[in-house]
Amino acid sequence: WQRMCIVIERSLPYLQNLNAPPSTSASREDLLNWLRRNGVTLGDDMTSVELLDIARGIARRCNDFTASRIASDAGHMLCIAPSLHPELRPIEHILGEVARVASAVASALPNASGPA
């Protein structure tokens, strides 16, 4: 078998983040624990606001999506495309080609004046 790169759209439901950063309502202790689990060493004298800023700054590199874990366990790589990005969605190319052909066909037809 060959190693594959699987491209999926970001908004799909199986992209649950298993390592989501804490929300603004998280306790200071939850913020500290999440940062430490992700390799950040810091002092205990930081405020919750400072901790949340650090968490937001590193959140993107700490993503661990369920689909990504499944793909890597099978020896593949998962590439996550931005949601609703037409250049990265093959169906958009197909629909664009269908519209182009339909327009060409319609322009070649004689004008209909209504039902006969």
Side-chain angles (χ1 to χ4, degrees):
W1 62 268
Q2 291 182 315
R3 183 181 167 126
M4 294 187 296
C5 177
I6 304 163
V7 180
I8 61 172
E9 186 177 322
R10 177 172 293 284
S11 66
L12 296 175
Y14 45 81
L15 284 177
Q16 176 188 2
N17 191 348
L18 301 174
N19 189 30
S23 68
T24 54
S25 62
S27 70
R28 185 175 181 285
E29 192 61 34
D30 287 344
L31 286 164
L32 281 169
N33 289 336
W34 187 86
L35 289 165
R36 288 182 179 136
R37 270 196 325 270
N38 287 284
V40 177
T41 54
L42 35 86
D44 290 332
D45 59 338
M46 297 183 80
T47 67
S48 294
V49 173
E50 292 170 321
L51 296 173
L52 190 58
D53 283 343
I54 294 170
R56 286 180 178 158
I58 68 164
R60 179 169 230 114
R61 73 173 169 86
C62 297
N63 287 339
D64 183 14
F65 295 111
T66 50
S68 180
R69 192 176 287 185
I70 292 167
S72 66
D73 287 351
H76 304 297
M77 185 171 74
L78 185 70
C79 300
I80 302 171
S83 59
L84 304 175
H85 196 291
E87 288 83 18
L88 300 175
R89 295 177 63 197
I91 191 67
E92 297 296 330
H93 295 289
I94 294 167
L95 293 175
E97 185 64 17
V98 168
R100 187 188 67 73
V101 170
S103 177
V105 168
S107 66
L109 295 175
N111 288 336
S113 59

